[in-house]
Structures are given as structure tokens and as C-alpha cells.
Amino acid sequence: MSRPSKESRPSFAERWADISLRAKITGVTVFILFLGLIVAGVGTLSVLRPMLLANQTATLTQIRKDPTTVLAAGANSVNLSREDILYASQQYYVALFDAAGALQYDNTHGQRSSSVPELLSPLTLDSLTQDPTQFIPMTSADRTNWRAVAVPVLVPGQSGGMLLIAVSTAGINQVVAQYVIIFTGFGIAVILLGAALTRLLVTTTFLPLAEVEQTALEIARGDTSKRIMVASPHTEVGHLGESLNVMLDRLDGSLEEQARTIERMRRFIGDASHELRTPLVSVRGYAELYRMGALQETEQVGQAMERIEKEAIRMTSLVEDLLALARLDERRPLVLASLPLNQLARDAALDARAQAPDREVTVVEDDADPIVVGDEHKVRQLLTNLIGNAMRHTPEGSPIEIVVSTPEQAEGETAAARFEIVDHGEGVPEQIRDKIFGRFWRADSSRNRETGGSGLGLAIVQSIVEAHRGTVSVHETPGGGATFRVDLPGTHPDPTTGSTPTVQTAAVRAVGSEAAVGAGGASADSGAAPASGDAAQAGAEGAEGAAPTAPVDPA
């Protein structure tokens, strides 16, 4: 069996990365303790032995000055006797040498064991006289080192002699060995205790982290409602838990918003498909009748062509509405200008009277002549769609008023201008007023274009208003009916000259246009009667006010 190549073996960094954080912290702590104990032990040992040797040196120096401290009791250094040496302290090796260095007698009583030290080099009285403070090294047969001092003495019947007193270093070695054993034992105990306490502390500290891990696992399994319990918000794990909770809240909101968007998209596609299917079925049916020869008479053919043309116009209007919403959703730049709202209202009233001569369309102007800062095509489309909506949902001949006013503004607020489309029909029930601006939402569930429309007109209104950073709302008309109120950013004429501000030619990108609620939301008819072909075309052209960009889904 072949051995794995070096390339296939994981590196140290890879193996280290696979170790758990608890094990890493415990291992590093134990390693640091081990290094600390090694440094402390070696350092202490390096000081302990020289200190013991220094103490021994001081003792020998003191003995050299007064050797009687280790001799037999009552010894006299001036007149030494044999008994003074034979019965000297057994803690030391005491011997008498003659001037030539020959051993005369010592305190071993003739028992020459392996522990008796011997001189490494000859010792004479002359060499001792030359260096009386020297320490003489000695060794025994059991390899124990000794240190000795020699003192010249007077010996009866001889010309002179040397008294040698030696002490073994075995005691020092024994103390050092005992220290090493004791330190090693305590060191091992400290390492084991440190490892256990570190493991316990790390495990206890990481309990919240384990809860974070468990919570994350449950969230990964699909339970997005789970949150992390933060017991200590001022710790690192507490900060992590709070940050994760914030992230999960945002993620949960994003997922909910995504689900709502997908649902709106599905409903939008279903509503748009339903709107387009009916005219397409009609066009196909008349085409098949013509192909099969069922339409023989000229009158029948003309009637079929008329129906095909009307259905085509119906589809064109619907597509233009969808295209206008898509371009508004793209947040294309608006070509802003200062527009006199009274004049726009008068123009819209003239168009409405031309479209419905039986209607009484009046304009209530504001003497302050408010100015709207907006895109002219879009503002005119607002008026057209709202007036068309009023005509569609009120009885024939019912009057309509266009009321221009300047709303009161609190100090510091941006100036605004207001217009209202007031009708006297059945009105809008309060429970659906927040829904009528949705795409394809209609109070009339019928898909008949003549009664219910497609439900895009008021969605376009809301998209345009939001693109201008304005507001649109519907209220009840006193005496019955609906009042659609639109507030747009505006300026006021110079009070000294009465002139209006100059037109702004630069294209300013509108922000805040989240474009008329997401597509496909429970749509109801805005009532937006797609205004007549010219008005709808004007709106579509207005939507193309900027350079074309890649089309996007109107949803």
C-alpha cells in the first residue's frame, strides 16, 4: 500500500484551523504555563546552586580562620594532638599531612571507604605557603566532589605540617535534586490545574456562544423567528448576539418583503394576462370568422374590422399604461420646471369639456397663483387621469370642479401647491381608500373596459406623485362624491413683481419614487379611465422624457 504524498497531508496551519476554539485557548494557556514554569525553574536553579556554593565557601573560609570549630572538643590550634583530629566532626573530612604532603592520620579511623576523598594533585607545605587561601579540589571513589582548605600547623617532633579540612558537595547536589523534584511536581500540578480551570472558564464563557450556534442552526433549518437571548450585552458575545439579532430582524423583514413582492408579481402577471386575454380572444375570433368565410357581407366585415380596431385600441391603451408605470418605476430623471398651477387647471378643464360637452367642468383658481415645481408632461397627466377617473365613475352630466389652493405650511417646511378634483358621484368608501391606488385594483370586479377599466390609472397617478415627492389622497365631497387631493412641491411668485420663477432646464433625478406599490398587489380599479387616446399618448410621451434605458418589469 502506497504512502500518501507530502502534498496530500494537511499542513500545520490546516490542522490548527480544524481545532475548536475551546481546545485552542486551553492548549495555548497550558503551553504558556509550561513555558513560564520552565523559565522560573531554570532561573531559580541557576541562582540556587551558586548560592549554596557561596555559602559553603563562606563556611570553609571561616574554618580556615578557626579550624578548632570542626576538631574535637577542647582542641588547641597551637598545640594539636592526634586525638583532636581522630575525633573531629564527621561532617567534614579532617586529615593531617606532613610538610612533604604525606598523610599522617585522619578522622576516618582507618576505614578507607569509597566516600573518603583523595587529593587530585600533591599538596606540600611550600605550595600551601605560596597560596594559603586556595580551595583544594578533591574527589572520592563514588565520584563525589569535595572542596577543602589547608592550614599550616605545628606538629610536635616535626618541622611542620598541614591540617586539611574538606566538605562534600553531595549536600548541595541533594538540595538541588530535591528542589528539581519538588518544583517538577508542583509544576505538573499547576499545569493540570491551569488546564482544568481554563477549560472550565472557557466552557462557561462560551455558553452564550453555544446558544448562538444552536440558534443559528435552528434558523438554518427554517425557523427564522428564533432570536438570540443576550444575558450580558456588554461582553463580546453579547455584542455578537445583539448584532446577529439586528441582522436577523432585517433579514426576516427582507424575506417577508421578498415574499410580498413575489406575490404581487404573480397577481400582477395574472391581472395583466387577464386584461390582455379578452381583447386577444376577440381579435382572434373575428380573424377566424373572416378566414372561414363566415363574414360574407360587406357590413359584417366592416363590423368585424371595427371590433378588431377597438380591441386593438384597448390593448394599446393598456400597454401604454403598463409602459408608463415601468418607466416611472425606473426612476428616470424628471425635467423639472416652474409651472403655474392655475393655467394647468384651466387647460385640463378645456380638454375635459371637449371630451364631454355635457359636463360642467369649472376651475376654482387661487389668487396667490401657486407654482408647482415638476415635470410638465407628468403633471398634466395627473390632471388628465384624475378627471377621466371622475368622469368614468359619476353619472353623465354630473359637474366636476378643479380647485387650486395653497396649503398652510408649518415653519421650516417646504412650500407646496395643491389641486383637488371634486366630483359628485357615489364617492369612495372609506374602507377601500387605501387600496384604490394599487395596480389592477378595482371596486368593480368586472373586466369590462367601459365600466371598470384596467385598474392602472390611479396607480400611475400615485407613481407620478411619489416621483415628485408629493402626496395624493382621496376624501369625501361634502354632499356626496369623491375629492382627490394632490400636494406637490411648489414655489410662490415674487410678491414685489408678481413674476414667476424661471424654468429649470436641468434634468433632476427624482428620488423616493418607490413607484406606486409593488406590482400585482391587490389591485383595484383606480378608475383611471385611461383618458382618451390623445391624453394617454401625451402621458406615454411624457414618460419618455429622458433618454431611453433598458426596459424593466413594471412590477
Side-chain angles (χ1 to χ4, degrees):
M1 183 174 61
S2 61
R3 295 182 179 180
S5 62
K6 292 184 178 180
E7 290 76 6
S8 63
R9 296 176 183 175
S11 63
F12 173 77
E14 293 174 342
R15 292 196 300 270
W16 178 256
D18 290 336
I19 300 175
S20 68
L21 187 57
R22 295 180 179 86
K24 287 180 180 177
I25 295 177
T26 303
V28 169
T29 303
V30 170
F31 180 70
I32 293 174
L33 280 175
F34 175 76
L35 288 182
L37 290 172
I38 289 294
V39 172
V42 173
T44 303
L45 190 62
S46 65
V47 174
L48 178 62
R49 184 176 179 82
M51 184 181 67
L52 294 175
L53 288 174
N55 291 337
Q56 190 181 69
T57 300
T59 301
L60 290 174
T61 301
Q62 185 64 30
I63 292 173
R64 181 192 288 122
K65 294 179 181 180
D66 184 12
T68 60
T69 57
V70 300
L71 299 177
N76 187 350
S77 60
V78 177
N79 186 15
L80 291 177
S81 64
R82 181 184 179 91
E83 287 75 14
D84 293 337
I85 296 174
L86 292 177
Y87 297 105
S89 173
Q90 295 298 313
Q91 185 179 356
Y92 299 90
Y93 173 72
V94 182
L96 181 65
F97 291 84
D98 60 14
L103 176 64
Q104 299 299 310
Y105 44 84
D106 55 23
N107 63 346
T108 61
H109 304 284
Q111 298 177 2
R112 308 303 295 178
S113 64
S114 60
S115 61
V116 176
E118 296 180 356
L119 290 171
L120 297 178
S121 59
L123 178 66
T124 63
L125 184 59
D126 293 337
S127 63
L128 178 61
T129 304
Q130 293 176 0
D131 186 9
T133 61
Q134 64 178 311
F135 291 90
I136 303 168
M138 302 179 70
T139 186
S140 60
D142 59 1
R143 297 182 180 181
T144 301
N145 294 324
W146 293 69
R147 301 177 70 202
V149 292
V151 181
V153 293
L154 296 176
V155 179
Q158 297 183 10
S159 59
M162 299 175 291
L163 179 63
L164 186 140
I165 302 172
V167 63
S168 173
T169 59
I172 294 176
N173 296 335
Q174 185 177 6
V175 171
V176 172
Q178 289 176 349
Y179 165 77
V180 171
I181 293 173
I182 293 173
F183 186 85
T184 301
F186 277 105
I188 293 174
V190 168
I191 290 176
L192 294 177
L193 182 61
L197 290 178
T198 302
R199 184 71 177 185
L200 178 62
L201 179 62
V202 170
T203 302
T204 304
T205 304
F206 280 6
L207 282 178
L209 193 59
E211 295 178 3
V212 172
E213 180 182 1
Q214 182 62 30
T215 302
L217 182 61
E218 294 179 4
I219 293 173
R221 291 173 177 171
D223 187 3
T224 57
S225 64
K226 297 290 291 185
R227 291 297 180 269
I228 299 168
M229 298 299 296
V230 180
S232 302
H234 301 296
T235 63
E236 291 80 359
V237 178
H239 293 323
L240 174 63
E242 289 182 340
S243 300
L244 288 177
N245 283 338
V246 172
M247 182 191 70
L248 291 172
D249 289 338
R250 293 181 178 177
L251 181 61
D252 201 15
S254 299
L255 292 175
E256 292 178 357
E257 180 61 28
Q258 181 181 15
R260 289 193 296 267
T261 301
I262 293 175
E263 180 62 23
R264 289 197 299 264
M265 176 79 72
R266 290 173 178 170
R267 300 183 67 174
F268 171 80
I269 293 174
D271 289 336
S273 301
H274 189 95
E275 288 290 337
L276 290 172
R277 181 176 60 182
T278 301
L280 285 174
V281 169
S282 299
V283 171
R284 180 179 178 182
Y286 284 115
E288 289 181 352
L289 287 175
Y290 180 78
R291 179 177 55 81
M292 291 186 299
L295 305 177
Q296 298 292 336
E297 300 179 2
T298 304
E299 182 179 356
Q300 292 178 335
V301 174
Q303 183 179 9
M305 292 301 103
E306 180 182 1
R307 292 300 305 152
I308 290 175
E309 181 181 6
K310 288 184 177 180
E311 295 300 333
I313 292 173
R314 176 179 174 183
M315 287 188 293
T316 300
S317 178
L318 177 61
V319 171
E320 286 175 350
D321 288 346
L322 293 174
L323 182 61
L325 283 172
R327 286 169 175 165
L328 288 169
D329 287 349
E330 286 179 339
R331 305 183 188 181
R332 291 190 174 189
L334 297 176
V335 181
L336 300 182
S338 298
L339 309 173
L341 193 53
N342 284 340
Q343 182 62 47
L344 295 179
R346 288 194 294 268
D347 294 345
L350 289 175
D351 294 342
R353 295 189 194 105
Q355 182 181 350
D358 61 326
R359 294 271 187 175
E360 179 183 354
V361 182
T362 57
V363 178
V364 179
E365 299 184 12
D366 187 353
D367 295 336
D369 195 13
I371 301 299
V372 170
V373 178
D375 187 306
E376 182 175 358
H377 292 293
K378 298 293 191 298
V379 176
R380 290 185 182 275
Q381 187 178 6
L382 281 177
L383 290 163
T384 299
N385 281 15
L386 290 174
I387 294 173
N389 180 74
M391 289 183 176
R392 181 174 301 278
H393 295 283
T394 56
E396 294 184 5
S398 176
I400 296 175
E401 293 91 31
I402 305 174
V403 180
V404 178
S405 62
T406 303
E408 295 183 1
Q409 299 294 324
E411 184 177 356
E413 291 186 0
T414 306
R418 172 182 296 172
F419 70 85
E420 297 174 320
I421 307 300
V422 182
D423 66 48
H424 301 277
E426 297 181 356
V428 179
E430 185 175 358
Q431 61 270 21
I432 65 171
R433 289 178 187 175
D434 58 342
K435 302 178 181 179
I436 61 175
F437 295 100
R439 299 179 183 184
F440 289 111
W441 197 96
R442 301 184 303 191
D444 181 7
S445 59
S446 168
R447 294 288 172 176
N448 187 344
R449 187 75 172 183
E450 299 301 325
T451 60
S454 64
L456 293 177
L458 290 184
I460 293 175
V461 167
Q462 187 178 42
S463 294
I464 294 174
V465 171
E466 290 183 352
H468 285 78
R469 303 184 190 179
T471 59
V472 59
S473 57
V474 59
H475 307 271
E476 184 177 357
T477 301
T483 298
F484 284 83
R485 179 178 300 163
V486 177
D487 289 338
L488 297 175
T491 59
H492 298 280
D494 189 330
T496 58
T497 63
S499 60
T500 59
T502 56
V503 173
Q504 302 175 11
T505 57
V508 181
R509 179 173 298 275
V511 294
S513 150
E514 292 302 329
V517 306
S523 247
D525 190 12
S526 42
S532 56
D534 292 341
Q537 183 65 26
E541 290 173 355
E544 299 187 46
T549 60
V552 299
D553 191 337

